[in-house]
Amino acid sequence: GHLHFGENKVQEALAKWSKVKEKNSSLKIHLIGKLQTNKVKFCLPLFDFIHSLDNIRLAEKIANEQVKKNFKPKIFIQVNIGEEEQKNGIALNELDSFHESIKNFDLNIIGLMCIPPFENDTKVYFEKMVQLKNKTNLNDLSMGMSNDYLIAAKNSSTYVRIGSKIFGERS
């Protein structure tokens, strides 16, 4: 009865889900990994959700492709909540201007996504995400993974990304 599934990589998802989704239109596939602009044309209509919008060029590519394919995915803006150099996402001080600048692309932006630093208390970052969600008037938060999904749920997360708790650790 599970209908929502997440994938990190576009190529793997195409091979794994294309035929399955054709037979079961109620399945919802989430792209939870980084999306490169050259892969956008392969994403729609396979992915119903994209959790990793993090730049204007990508927003423009998705906007153009959704017109071509007549399919509008639900999209989360990825926020670099911990301001970590190694992570993707919009910087905190650029979120308002980014959100404003993509409004003319007619994207279906439903919320914000983050991956907080692992070594710190994630509750602080999740609380900040709630504030950002309210400030941007968005409805959803994609935050929380196997190690902190309960904390995320207590902090208004509407989508959690649980993998290793279900499938085990990768070796």
Side-chain angles (χ1 to χ4, degrees):
H2 190 85
L3 298 175
H4 288 254
F5 296 90
E7 285 289 342
N8 283 320
K9 297 182 178 150
V10 174
Q11 254 69 351
E12 284 182 29
L14 285 168
K16 195 184 303 181
W17 292 105
S18 295
K19 289 187 174 143
V20 173
K21 198 169 174 196
E22 283 176 18
K23 294 176 185 172
N24 187 346
S25 61
S26 59
L27 286 179
K28 302 296 177 200
I29 310 300
H30 297 247
L31 179 61
I32 57 176
K34 170 83 175 138
L35 177 57
Q36 299 169 323
T37 54
N38 65 336
K39 302 278 186 346
V40 171
K41 62 186 168 214
F42 304 111
C43 280
L44 307 182
L46 179 63
F47 290 103
D48 303 282
F49 294 80
I50 298 172
H51 291 247
S52 54
L53 177 61
D54 65 355
N55 66 71
I56 293 287
R57 192 165 158 246
L58 181 59
E60 189 174 22
K61 282 276 200 185
I62 294 169
N64 291 336
E65 198 63 30
Q66 72 183 13
V67 170
K68 290 179 192 172
K69 303 272 177 75
N70 193 29
F71 180 83
K72 259 179 128 166
K74 294 178 180 180
I75 300 173
F76 292 88
I77 297 171
Q78 183 173 354
V79 178
N80 187 341
I81 194 68
E83 301 180 276
E84 298 173 277
E85 286 184 27
Q86 75 276 18
K87 287 190 181 167
N88 297 312
I90 301 298
L92 292 172
N93 64 346
E94 296 174 5
L95 178 59
D96 290 336
S97 62
F98 177 77
H99 185 238
E100 192 60 37
S101 68
I102 62 172
K103 285 184 177 174
N104 62 341
F105 288 131
D106 193 33
L107 298 170
N108 187 10
I109 305 295
I110 64 167
L112 303 174
M113 184 278 264
C114 78
I115 302 171
F118 290 112
E119 65 278 352
N120 296 331
D121 178 16
T122 56
K123 182 180 180 216
V124 173
Y125 298 105
F126 294 156
E127 289 171 347
K128 178 68 175 169
M129 288 295 288
V130 172
Q131 293 170 3
L132 294 171
K133 176 188 75 83
N134 293 338
K135 186 177 178 187
T136 54
N137 290 317
L138 294 168
N139 294 323
D140 293 299
L141 287 172
S142 172
M143 58 186 197
M145 297 189 291
S146 291
N147 61 328
D148 59 6
Y149 71 95
L150 292 174
I151 299 165
K154 289 178 184 173
N155 284 280
S156 305
S157 183
T158 49
Y159 292 83
V160 293
R161 301 175 309 273
I162 302 172
S164 60
K165 280 253 195 249
I166 296 170
F167 300 107
E169 297 289 331
R170 290 184 118 173
S171 44

